């Protein structure tokens, strides 16, 4: 066993050294990352406000605090690649090219939303943009991502899959079955574990058998790496290495991004299970603050430009809110039975061929 | 027409579809060199190789979920779950992901996959290897449920299932893999949602499916000796359900016996009864009756197993009581 671990470590080192890091970024690209992260944060703040005002129905799990992961990871891949998302999926949807207005419309259950209002917060995804979907079952997307990886391996088009999930999902059987399968078949999947320290209220210290979830990669014959999930460029570098390895036929990677969920699990969560000191610590490492400071320090942006971008995002959110709440209609009840089946529709006697 | 066994019919359908469409592939536990626990993938590994006939780890959730993912990315996976009882482990992936993805994501995706599985009692292999869990899947929106009773239907229905763009749960009864029947070599499909009147009669309609449909033919023979003419309807698809064919028969006979090897409580045929109630109540001359498996975990002992599930004489008896 010890020997096998050593061997895995050796091969990990070798591959890591061989694969190229992310290419150098243009200024516009960096500004775009900051813009996207600000959009996600502002979107989530708006969602929380609308929930508090009871304008928004249903459950919403917000992504605030984890923006650097979705933005950094999705910045690496091509439009033809795939991602799979989770119940905390607003950030993934946006980073994969989703527009604020149609996203908010989806959360409001409006017909103009990405899923025609049928999915809502927990299933927000634009499947036509290579997002294979957000699932409300913790760990439910990991086998699906693995199958997408199999399809990518079959078709020879050099595509990859980014599979997002949380620390909680890494304790689910689907994680272990899927990573074993991907390791055995050397599938081009990057398993991105967003470790935000809590599965709802239960801390990883209590729930996890290991301190670093990345170490579980060894069990499945794949490199396990850790990235600072509060640093967008660090996430990007790590995902770029894993994606390059996958495209070269080097198989899957387990990448653990350490981050923090700013809000409670959902609106009804009073966050009794964690201290305000701990929250303050993570807020002091805010991904948007850190990255905007970096851009200012490296003279990619001025303070004024950062402030202007904040104002621009506020305007974008206001426009999205107007679109979702005022300009969009709810789906007509007559559409209830649409799209359950391909080629069949409910008729007076049951399902009928269309 | 060649006479082939049920397992050969399944295998031939898989082979034909893999030759016809390069997007079709097979995966599951022991489907490769072993040829499947009940032999239904025999010789495919030799012909198509380990890429398209993929042996998997004993990971039912990953098998079903990987089929969903591959299907959403343009392939037509046929995943095998060795025993229907093991579907409990794969349930979330098939029902919550596969069955709902199209609807939940606004109709922009399809999940063209088949989940083949084997089930039913008769081999004394007890409570976790003998169940008939069709009802669980009939209940799930977005998935079809298909259940052939003979080699001809097996081949035609499996081809139709593979070509269909919806996720299909394809159920093979373990006691009919050796059953022989005439099967054409040329291409044909048995459309989903079309029941088959396998025995015509005027006094009572027996609505049934899978292996039990063969027992119903035996029961019809017993009833004939008592001067009762039974019409047997083999549903073939539990969803979509062919309500028209059932109603045509009920209008003629006025009496309905529903039979299944699943547990009695909330059995899939209960839904059939409700459809008859909704659309054919006026045709009924007597309350409908059902004969199903007992609401117990299937016991191993042969006497108990036999007592647990419907048999041809018991089906005949129930029909006789109905005609009374």
């Amino acid at each position: 066993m010890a020997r096998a671990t050593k061997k895995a470590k050796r091969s990990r080192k070798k591959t890591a050294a061989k694969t190229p890091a992310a290419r150098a970024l243009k200024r516009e690209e960096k500004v775009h990352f900051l813009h996207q992260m600000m959009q996600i944060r502002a979107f989530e703040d708006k969602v929380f406000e609308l929930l508090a005002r009871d304008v928004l129905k249903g459950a919403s799990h917000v992504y605030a605090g984890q923006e650097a992961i979705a933005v950094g990871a999705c910045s690496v891949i091509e439009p033809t690649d795939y991602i799979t998302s989770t119940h905390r999926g607003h950030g993934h949807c946006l980073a994969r090219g989703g527009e604020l207005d149609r996203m908010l419309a989806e959360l409001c259950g409006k017909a103009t939303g990405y899923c025609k209002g049928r999915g809502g917060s927990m299933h927000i995804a634009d499947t036509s943009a290579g997002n294979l979907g957000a699932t409300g079952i913790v760990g439910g997307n990991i086998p699906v991502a693995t199958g997408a990886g199999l399809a990518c391996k079959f078709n020879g088009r050099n595509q990859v899959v980014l599979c997002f999930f949380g620390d909680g999902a890494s304790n689910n059987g689907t994680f272990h079955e899927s990573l074993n399968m991907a390791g055995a078949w050397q599938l081009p999947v990057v398993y991105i574990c967003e470790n935000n320290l809590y599965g709802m209220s239960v801390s990883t210290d209590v729930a996890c058998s290991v301190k670093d979830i990345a170490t579980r990669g060894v069990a499945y014959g794949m490199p396990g790496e850790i990235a600072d999930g509060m640093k967008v460029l660090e996430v990007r570098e790590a995902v770029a290495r894993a994606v390059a390895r996958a495209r070269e036929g080097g198989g899957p990677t387990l990448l653990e991004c350490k981050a923090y969920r700013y809000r409670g699990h959902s609106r009804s969560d009073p966050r009794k299970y964690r201290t305000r000191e701990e929250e303050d610590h993570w807020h002091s490492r805010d991904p948007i603050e850190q990255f905007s400071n970096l851009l200012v320090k490296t003279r990619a942006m001025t303070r004024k430009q950062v402030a202007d971008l904040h104002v621009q995002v506020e305007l974008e959110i206001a426009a999205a809110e107007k679109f979702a709440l005022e300009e969009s209609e709810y789906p007509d009840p007559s559409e209830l039975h649409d799209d359950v089946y391909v080629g069949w529709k409910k008729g007076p006697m049951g399902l009928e061929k269309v | 027409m060649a006479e082939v066994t049920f397992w050969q019919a399944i295998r031939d359908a898989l082979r034909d579809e893999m030759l016809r469409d390069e997007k079709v592939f097979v995966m599951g536990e022991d489907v490769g060199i072993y040829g499947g626990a009940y032999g239904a993938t025999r010789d495919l590994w030799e012909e198509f190789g380990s890429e398209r006939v993929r042996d998997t780890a004993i990971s039912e959730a990953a098998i079903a979920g990987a089929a969903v993912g591959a299907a959403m990315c343009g392939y037509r996976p046929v995943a095998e779950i060795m025993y229907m009882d093991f579907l409990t482990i794969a349930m979330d992936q098939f029902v919550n992901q596969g069955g709902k993805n199209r609807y939940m994501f606004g109709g922009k995706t399809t999940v063209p996959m088949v989940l083949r599985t084997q089930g039913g009692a008769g081999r004394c292999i007890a409570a976790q290897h003998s169940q008939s869990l069709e009802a669980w899947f009939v209940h799930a929106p977005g998935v079809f449920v298909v259940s052939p009773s003979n080699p001809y239907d097996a081949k035609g229905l499996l081809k139709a299932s593979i070509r269909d763009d919806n996720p299909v749960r394809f159920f093979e009864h373990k006691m009919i893999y050796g059953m022989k029947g005439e099967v054409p070599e040329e291409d044909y499909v048995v459309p989903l949602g079309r029941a088959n009147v396998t025995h015509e009669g005027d006094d009572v309609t027996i609505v049934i499916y899978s292996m039990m449909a063969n027992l119903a033919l035996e029961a019809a023979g017993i009833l004939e000796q008592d001067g009762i003419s039974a019409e047997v309807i083999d549903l073939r698809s539990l969803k979509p359900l062919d309500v028209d064919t059932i109603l045509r028969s009920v209008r003629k006979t006025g009496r309905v016996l529903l039979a299944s090897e699943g547990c009695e409580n909330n059995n899939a045929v209960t839904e059939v009864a409700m459809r008859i109630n909704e659309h054919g109540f006026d045709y009924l001359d007597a309350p409908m009756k059902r004969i199903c498996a007992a609401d117990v975990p299937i016991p191993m002992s042969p006497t108990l197993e036999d007592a647990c599930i419907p048999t041809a004489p018991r089906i005949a008896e129930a029909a006789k009581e109905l005609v009374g």
Side-chain angles (χ1 to χ4, degrees), chain B residues 26-45:
Chain B
V26 168
M27 67 173 165
E29 294 157 14
D30 306 293
V31 297
I33 196 165
Y34 194 91
Y38 283 79
T41 56
R42 216 173 290 174
D43 304 328
L44 293 179
W45 181 80

Side-chain angles (χ1 to χ4, degrees), chain B residues 21-81:
Chain B
D21 182 353
E22 59 172 21
K23 300 286 189 191
V24 177
F25 72 97
V26 168
M27 67 173 165
E29 294 157 14
D30 306 293
V31 297
I33 196 165
Y34 194 91
Y38 283 79
T41 56
R42 216 173 290 174
D43 304 328
L44 293 179
W45 181 80
E46 286 80 355
E47 183 170 356
F48 296 98
S50 54
E51 282 292 303
R52 289 183 75 193
V53 183
R54 301 184 83 87
D55 272 327
T56 67
I58 302 171
S59 301
E60 284 81 6
I63 295 166
V68 173
M72 289 177 80
C73 295
Y75 284 81
R76 290 186 177 271
V78 183
E80 177 172 322
I81 299 292

Side-chain angles (χ1 to χ4, degrees), chain B residues 140-268:
Chain B
V143 305
F144 284 161
V145 181
V146 174
S147 204
S149 67
N150 60 68
Y152 178 90
D153 287 351
K155 188 173 177 186
L157 283 169
L158 184 52
K159 283 176 170 238
S161 300
I162 292 170
R163 294 177 197 183
D164 196 88
D165 283 334
N166 297 289
V168 179
R169 214 238 35 196
F170 194 90
F171 164 44
E172 299 155 20
H173 196 290
K174 61 169 66 66
M175 299 309 284
I176 48 177
Y177 279 110
M179 177 189 186
K180 282 191 171 170
E182 287 194 338
V183 175
E185 273 173 44
E186 60 271 21
D187 188 44
Y188 72 98
V189 294
V190 174
L192 305 186
R194 195 105 29 104
N196 191 17
V197 180
T198 53
H199 188 273
E200 293 196 12
D202 301 316
D203 300 330
V204 57
T205 300
I206 303 176
V207 180
I208 203 159
Y209 61 95
S210 184
M211 212 271 288
M212 292 269 126
N214 302 315
L215 299 188
L217 293 177
E218 237 179 282
I222 299 170
L223 289 165
E224 226 159 67
Q225 288 166 11
D226 292 326
I228 297 168
S229 158
E231 179 137 303
V232 177
I233 298 184
D234 180 352
L235 292 174
R236 301 199 285 203
S237 299
L238 292 169
K239 195 164 71 174
L241 190 66
D242 183 355
V243 180
D244 286 334
T245 298
I246 298 165
L247 289 181
R248 247 197 318 275
S249 179
V250 177
R251 193 184 316 187
K252 185 166 63 169
T253 65
R255 287 179 163 80
V256 181
L257 174 68
L258 304 127
S260 159
E261 212 186 292
C263 287
E264 185 177 80
N265 203 345
N266 266 332
N267 190 289

Side-chain angles (χ1 to χ4, degrees), chain A residues 296-310:
Chain A
V296 171
K297 203 172 136 196
T298 54
R299 295 173 191 274
M301 287 179 93
T302 63
R303 283 274 162 221
K304 168 85 171 55
Q305 284 170 326
V306 172
D308 287 348
L309 196 55
H310 271 296

